[in-house]
Structure formats: structure tokens, C-alpha cells
Amino acid sequence: MKLSSLNRTKVLNRMQHTAYDVVIIGGGITGAGIAFDAAQRGMKVALVEMQDFASGTSSRSTKLVHGGLRYLKQLQIGVVSETGKERAIVYENGPHVTTPERMLLPMHKGGTFGPTTTSLALKVYDYLAEVKKSERRVMLSAKETLAKEPLVKPDGLRGGGSYVEYRTDDARMTIEVMKQAAEFGADVLNYVKSTGFTYDKKKKVDGITVTDLVSNTKINIKAKKVVNATGPWVDEVRDSDYSKNNKQLRLTKGIHLVFDQSDFPLRQAVYFDTENDKRMIFAIPRDGKTYVGTTDTFYNNDKQNPKVTQEDRDYIIAAINYMFPSVEISDDDIESTWAGIRPLILEKGKDPSEISRKDEIWEGKSGLLTIAGGKLTGYRHMAQDIVDLVAKRLKEEYKLKFPESNTKRTPISGGDVGGSMNFEQYISSHVNPKLFNILSQDEQEAIICKYGSNHDDLFAIAQICGGKSYKDMPVSLYAELVYGIQNEMVYQPTDFIIRRSGDLYFNIQQVFEYKEAIIKVLAELLHYDSSEVEMYTKALEDKISEAVSPSIQVSTE
């Protein structure tokens, strides 16, 4: 089943006339994982998301599938152990959206970690996360540390630790999981807002009321069980139910800054502590850029559009200049930014960085199931836990039986590449020389690397073009855009430019050069009227203004 924007009306109609086993509110990585697990077990599944898929927390993270070394410092052993083990599973099932990344942990006099504590912490980390031998920690001298990354502050350097984390594209991971859920039969739609619950005679939740924000159509979706997986909006959704418990979220904000490698030529990923508060920060090279984050501050403002403040920027820039003094980064060097919200479970009296990242499941008297907390890395296990509970309740209340979860051994969409060990060989062996007049070898490899086993669909779209650019767009970009409309439910320009491609953060020149062409293609294929063109163009310009440094906007005009 394709996840296409071209059949929204059909899916909405099906949702209105189907009795589902479970309906999921929320289209981030948690909701996508739940839909995937439930649909694979044979449940009838529906999912609605009020914005675009992954538009909240799931596209605004540090873009790492990691066990969380810093949680050892807080003695959150269970979190480290579970998420550490999940890293390998997530990587194996989607090597096209997850990549092992050697992380350097420099040690300075007076810093958070010394040689003994670092060696011990990394050894415990390797043990808890069951890290494979080739990825275990390596301890380095000061000279070896500087050889790995010459930009690291040499003054007071005592050495370093090298260990492996997994870099990911969080939004693309979410959409690939969502596509796999759809392939197993789940009905999923973005831009459909849940507005309330329906109840049976026993005051048990038996569905939700929703509004399709594209057509302004209002319908009821009936289901035996309802799962609230809305991340930062968990409490608002529960406010519509009569049986809300005394649990609640505590939101924190994290921001990231992006620099061009010409300004911040980082060779490899570095995990370092700040000078004053000793918080840990990531600096990560990616696609010709270096991005740095994250902050961790309490947040009570607009959940849909968290902003990067000057205070946030100053904090990260100070951290960079402390650890990489020769770079001399300033505000003017920032190319783009993003801000995200962590939906953590309230623990009174704790600072933002001290609150546990552990997930919890809450079950109301109405039967509403809510999942809150957790980390990107643990999405699959979180989904398994709550679908186990859904299956248990369906058996108890409706005598329905479903098998155990099998997502641990099931690739996500695009992940059928013969396993992580064979992915590089898969890329090289699927380059098609017959298409070199349409897509160069580099372009083909980039598509295969990004879309995995779905690359043939993009190659087919490119072939239809016959090697000619469309509306002045490169054929590869056009193929990605059309594929996004036909297979990834792209409906608005921001869906593609921010979440399907990541270009707003990591390829801003391409955004400025082709944004009008992208809007034209979307308008033609999705039949925008003039008001929609105006509205979506403004929405894109607002996002560009929000994310991109004014100096970059001026220099690219």
C-alpha cells in the first residue's frame, strides 16, 4: 500500500467506514512505531497526525540513535542498557537511515570526565549496550586525540575516548517506519486533527472525532482501542477525556546550530562538556556542514513552533569557542537552526537535564492508552510494549488473539538491503550504468544511500523525465519530490524541504535556488488553487526566516 497524497480522499473515506482494532493519535516516531507493530501483528490500524509526519519532536532531535552516555552519570542504568541495545536493532533494520559514527570524547583538566572515569564509563557503556567488538571504546593519548580532531582545545588536554554512536535522519526514519506500517495495511493520514473522543454505553472510549485540515471534512473513526502518542501534546489530548490521571509532562527545549564546513571544518563527531555548567554537547559533521547541540531548558511556549532565541545561540557559540578556540565562531557564521521539544515526564525538583528519559504507559478508566517520555532510539521497544498491552486488552475484552511482536527482525521501508554489513555492496551493485545519461553515478549512489531498497521507484521517475530537467530542477531533485508525493504523503512544500529532504538545514543553497520550482510541481500534481499556493508559499518563507540566518538569506538572494 502506497503512502500517497494523491489518495487522501480514499483513505479518509475508508477511515470513516472501517471498524478498527486500534486508532493512534500522533504521527511522530512513537506513533509510527506503534502503527508498524500493530499492523504487522494483523490488527486493523488507523493513525492520524494533525501536522505532517515527524513535524514535532521527531524531526528536531540531535539526529542520533544513541544509548545516552550521559545518563550513566545520572545512574539511569536501565535507560542506557535498553536504548543501547536498541541502537543495533534500529541500525540493522534501516541502514539507509542510520550510520555508525565514531564519537570523540576529549578529556581536559577540570572537565566532567577524567581518564579513569572515562575509561570506566565507556567500558560500562559497552557492556550495558552489548556493543559489538569492532565498535567498542578506544582510549587515546592527548597527541592521538589531537590527531583525530586538531580543532579540539589543546590546553589542559589529557587524552580522549573514542566510541561509536549512530547518526540518523530522524524525520526520514519516521517516514520509513510509517511507510512500512502502511505496507502492512495501516491507514495513516497527515493533516488530520483529533478533536475529541467517542464513548460507548459503558463510558469506554470507542473512537475519536477528527477534522481533515486539507478538506475541512469532519468524521468519526471507530476503534476498540485508542492510543495517545502525541509527544508534547499528550496532556492536551488527555484533557478531552474524563479519566485523566495525575501524571503530567514537563517539556524541555533543545536547539541546534548549523555551520558550513568552511567556517567550522570539523573532521569527526565530538562529544564535549561546556565550560560553566558542564553540560554535554555534540558537534557532528554532516554533508559538508557541522551542526552543534543541544541545549536543555524548561519550555512553556508554543509547542508547534519553538524558537531559537539569542540566548540559545549565545550558549552554543560559547560552548564551541571554549572547546574549539581556533575556529572563532560567531553569530554571523550560523547558516541555519532548529529547535525541538522533549516531552519528558514531570519529576518535581529536578533540573531539565536530570529528568529521566524513560517512557511510561498510562491507562485511563475510559480505556484510553497514553504513552509518554522515551527517546528516539527506543521507539521500537516502546511500540512493542504498548501494542502488547493493546493485544492483551483485545483478548480480554473481545476474545481477539494476535501474535507477539516481530519488529525486532523486520526491516523498515527501504531496509531490504541484505543487512547492515552488506549495505555498501548493495549501493555499488545497484548503480545502473544504463542510466548515466539521466543520473550520474554519484547521484544514483546518493539516492540508493538515502532511499535504500526503494531506489528503483526514484530511478523510474527519473527515466520518465528522459534526462531533462523539469522546471529548471535537477532530475534527481524532481525524482525525490515526485516520489515524496506518490509514496511519502508530501502535501506541502515544507513537508519536502524540511522533513523528507532535510535541505532547509543541510542544503540551504538548493532551497533558495529551487523553492519556486518545488511549489510549482506540487501545485500541478496536487491541484492547488491560487489561495493554497499563496498560503503554502508564505508558510515556507516563514520557516526559512525562522531557521536560516539573516546573513545567509541576504548572501543567497
Side-chain angles (χ1 to χ4, degrees):
M1 183 184 298
K2 286 187 175 182
L3 201 62
S4 174
S5 287
L6 303 175
N7 62 5
R8 287 187 65 89
T9 304
K10 289 182 180 178
V11 176
L12 197 66
N13 185 63
R14 193 158 61 240
M15 284 181 167
Q16 187 173 12
H17 295 98
T18 301
Y20 292 98
D21 294 312
V22 58
V23 61
I24 301 149
I25 310 170
I29 189 62
T30 304
I34 295 167
F36 172 23
D37 192 306
Q40 187 186 32
R41 298 193 202 198
M43 296 180 190
K44 288 184 180 178
V45 179
L47 178 147
V48 295
E49 163 58 47
M50 70 174 179
Q51 301 179 87
D52 181 33
F53 303 126
S55 58
T57 304
S58 297
S59 61
R60 301 165 183 256
S61 72
T62 307
K63 307 187 188 302
L64 289 174
V65 173
H66 68 114
L69 179 62
R70 74 182 179 89
Y71 304 133
L72 272 183
K73 185 180 174 183
Q74 301 162 5
L75 299 180
Q76 296 182 34
I77 305 300
V79 173
V80 175
S81 179
E82 181 177 303
T83 56
K85 293 169 186 173
E86 283 294 310
R87 293 182 318 164
I89 298 170
V90 172
Y91 174 45
E92 192 62 35
N93 290 336
H96 60 307
V97 290
T98 312
T99 306
E101 180 96 29
R102 270 280 162 189
M103 195 73 61
L104 179 64
L105 182 65
M107 302 173 296
H108 289 85
K109 290 178 182 178
T112 302
F113 293 100
T116 302
T117 54
T118 300
S119 180
L120 179 61
L122 290 176
K123 189 170 185 178
V124 172
Y125 186 68
D126 285 346
Y127 172 75
L128 290 173
E130 297 182 359
V131 175
K132 54 189 176 184
K133 192 172 182 179
S134 63
E135 296 182 356
R136 290 176 190 166
R137 64 102 165 82
V138 177
M139 299 308 296
L140 306 169
S141 66
K143 184 178 180 181
E144 289 169 328
T145 300
L146 288 172
K148 291 280 186 183
E149 183 46 72
L151 297 178
V152 166
K153 180 179 68 162
D155 294 347
L157 184 63
R158 303 174 69 186
S162 175
Y163 68 106
V164 171
E165 293 287 19
Y166 290 72
R167 181 164 53 87
T168 191
D169 185 325
D170 49 5
R172 286 219 56 80
M173 179 192 291
T174 301
I175 197 66
E176 297 292 26
V177 175
M178 195 72 76
K179 285 155 64 180
Q180 192 61 54
E183 287 183 33
F184 281 121
D187 289 328
V188 306
L189 276 178
N190 52 2
Y191 298 108
V192 175
K193 184 176 183 178
S194 173
T195 55
F197 300 103
T198 61
Y199 299 88
D200 63 18
K201 294 178 181 179
K202 296 180 180 179
K203 296 187 71 176
K204 296 291 186 181
V205 171
D206 68 354
I208 60 175
T209 59
V210 304
T211 299
D212 176 29
L213 301 179
V214 173
S215 64
N216 200 32
T217 303
K218 295 175 173 60
I219 67 167
N220 291 345
I221 303 176
K222 289 296 184 181
K224 299 177 180 69
K225 287 293 162 187
V226 177
V227 174
N228 171 16
T230 53
W233 290 269
V234 153
D235 288 341
E236 281 85 341
V237 171
R238 292 194 304 142
D239 283 342
S240 299
D241 182 41
Y242 69 85
S243 64
K244 185 176 179 181
N245 62 19
N246 61 357
K247 292 276 191 177
Q248 66 183 89
L249 295 185
R250 188 62 163 112
L251 305 181
T252 71
K253 185 182 75 170
I255 73 103
H256 297 79
L257 307 182
V258 183
F259 306 89
D260 192 80
Q261 279 268 319
S262 61
D263 295 312
F264 192 171
L266 195 70
R267 287 187 185 179
Q268 72 143 82
V270 180
Y271 189 36
F272 64 99
D273 50 3
T274 59
E275 181 177 15
N276 296 320
D277 60 9
K278 303 302 179 185
R279 279 200 69 255
M280 300 301 293
I281 299 283
F282 288 101
I284 302 170
R286 171 177 164 168
D287 301 332
K289 312 294 178 185
T290 296
Y291 70 96
V292 187
T294 180
T295 55
D296 201 1
T297 54
F298 287 131
Y299 186 76
N300 297 303
N301 297 318
D302 179 12
K303 298 181 183 68
Q304 200 160 328
N305 297 292
K307 300 291 193 298
V308 177
T309 66
Q310 189 60 53
E311 184 179 1
D312 295 330
R313 291 153 74 112
D314 291 344
Y315 179 89
I316 296 295
I317 287 173
I320 294 168
N321 287 328
Y322 165 69
M323 186 53 63
F324 311 99
S326 64
V327 176
E328 298 182 343
I329 283 291
S330 73
D331 217 51
D332 291 338
D333 297 315
I334 299 171
E335 193 163 279
S336 60
T337 68
W338 72 85
I341 302 171
R342 304 177 191 88
L344 307 179
I345 299 167
L346 176 64
E347 295 180 66
K348 292 182 179 179
K350 289 195 174 183
D351 290 333
S353 296
E354 295 175 332
I355 299 176
S356 174
R357 270 52 176 172
K358 183 173 173 53
D359 58 282
E360 289 187 21
I361 296 171
W362 307 330
E363 187 171 15
K365 290 181 181 178
S366 66
L368 174 66
L369 296 171
T370 295
I371 187 162
K375 286 163 51 65
L376 174 73
T377 309
Y379 87 87
R380 190 208 63 82
H381 199 277
M382 290 168 62
Q384 179 178 315
D385 286 346
I386 197 164
V387 178
D388 281 346
L389 180 57
V390 169
K392 182 180 180 182
R393 294 291 179 259
L394 291 175
K395 183 178 180 181
E396 292 170 346
E397 299 169 19
Y398 299 94
K399 309 302 180 187
L400 297 174
K401 293 184 179 181
F402 295 98
E404 294 182 354
S405 175
N406 194 38
T407 56
K408 191 173 184 177
R409 292 167 290 274
T410 306
I412 61 177
S413 182
D416 291 313
V417 296
S420 60
M421 295 290 289
N422 296 316
F423 188 42
E424 286 189 17
Q425 193 274 332
Y426 180 93
I427 294 171
S428 60
S429 65
H430 283 77
V431 170
N432 187 349
K434 294 180 180 179
L435 300 180
F436 282 168
N437 63 322
I438 300 173
L439 294 169
S440 69
Q441 180 169 339
D442 287 347
E443 288 175 322
Q444 289 189 45
E445 288 179 352
I447 287 172
I448 300 168
C449 189
K450 186 173 182 178
Y451 293 90
S453 54
N454 291 320
H455 70 276
D456 275 340
D457 288 337
L458 288 97
F459 286 2
I461 295 167
Q463 281 183 286
I464 292 172
C465 297
K468 298 177 182 178
S469 63
Y470 187 85
K471 297 191 183 299
D472 299 323
M473 295 169 63
V475 172
S476 59
L477 180 61
Y478 177 74
E480 287 194 60
L481 178 57
V482 174
Y483 177 81
I485 295 167
Q486 294 179 344
N487 296 273
E488 298 185 341
M489 210 159 271
V490 166
Y491 193 81
Q492 299 184 18
T494 51
D495 301 344
F496 179 72
I497 288 171
I498 298 175
R499 288 170 290 277
R500 303 304 184 276
S501 70
D503 283 349
L504 183 64
Y505 305 134
F506 300 106
N507 194 359
I508 190 60
Q509 299 295 334
Q510 182 159 278
V511 173
F512 281 110
E513 192 167 353
Y514 298 112
K515 59 184 179 179
E516 288 85 4
I518 289 169
I519 292 169
K520 286 179 182 177
V521 172
L522 284 162
E524 284 187 11
L525 296 183
L526 295 174
H527 308 294
Y528 289 172
D529 59 30
S530 58
S531 65
E532 286 177 311
V533 171
E534 183 178 347
M535 177 172 61
Y536 296 146
T537 300
K538 183 181 185 304
L540 176 58
E541 294 296 344
D542 287 347
K543 287 296 182 183
I544 291 172
S545 296
E546 182 182 302
V548 179
S549 169
S551 62
I552 297 297
Q553 292 187 52
V554 169
S555 67
T556 54
E557 287 179 354

